[in-house]
Amino acid sequence: MKRELPPALIQKQEQMRQQTIEKVLRAMEDLKAEGCRINIKNLMVYSGLSRSVFAKPHVRNLIQGHLAAKEQKTTPKRRVVRKNQQEEIAVYISKIDRLSEENEQLKKECELLRGRLFLLMNKMDR
């Protein structure tokens, strides 16, 4: 006594699956174009789909297929840092060093002022 689904319902479900697949593919392309990681959290943001959609078999297979193809295509690459980026990094490192040194000096000054305040408070109490 197995009932069959109406053809209109089957067609509607297939249409919804295709729309979901298109949204996921578009989101994957957008993420790839922006250089972002392709993970479910990012796909949720870009596609507007809920997390439960990504647990459905047709969507899960799509994502796993993409990741498997990506692993086969990619070879380990060294990250290339351009010369101007190296200079920029050096400037930031020197700025961090300078600010760390300034912070230490301010901490010492604050400690001295606390000591003076303590002494003045003790004089007032007498």
Side-chain angles (χ1 to χ4, degrees):
M1 191 165 147
K2 189 172 185 178
R3 293 178 39 185
E4 290 188 27
L5 295 175
L9 180 60
I10 293 172
Q11 183 180 7
K12 176 75 173 167
Q13 288 174 338
E14 185 58 34
Q15 181 183 8
M16 295 296 286
R17 277 190 203 100
Q18 290 304 318
Q19 289 176 352
T20 302
I21 288 172
E22 288 173 12
K23 285 181 183 180
V24 171
L25 287 173
R26 197 172 326 118
M28 290 168 84
E29 290 172 4
D30 291 345
L31 287 169
K32 186 177 179 182
E34 290 188 17
C36 297
R37 287 186 59 200
I38 296 177
N39 57 22
I40 292 184
K41 189 173 182 178
N42 290 342
L43 287 171
M44 286 172 47
V45 171
Y46 273 80
S47 67
L49 299 170
S50 67
R51 187 169 190 87
S52 62
V53 171
F54 295 95
K56 295 185 177 184
H58 63 283
V59 177
R60 191 176 336 125
N61 292 339
L62 179 70
I63 295 170
Q64 288 174 348
H66 172 77
L67 294 177
K70 183 179 176 183
E71 286 177 11
Q72 289 176 355
K73 288 180 184 177
T74 59
T75 57
K77 295 180 182 176
R78 266 187 28 173
R79 182 175 173 151
V80 178
V81 180
R82 296 186 315 257
K83 186 174 183 177
N84 60 351
Q85 286 177 328
Q86 289 175 341
E87 292 169 357
E88 200 173 317
I89 290 170
V91 168
Y92 285 127
I93 289 173
S94 66
K95 188 173 184 178
I96 289 170
D97 291 341
R98 182 180 51 81
L99 289 172
S100 295
E101 191 175 307
E102 185 179 328
N103 188 28
E104 288 300 317
Q105 290 173 352
L106 289 172
K107 282 181 182 178
K108 288 176 184 177
E109 186 178 340
C110 184
E111 199 173 315
L112 290 172
L113 290 173
R114 275 196 208 120
R116 287 184 185 168
L117 179 64
F118 179 76
L119 292 173
L120 289 172
M121 294 296 283
N122 281 342
K123 283 184 180 180
M124 285 181 57
D125 288 341
R126 291 183 193 173

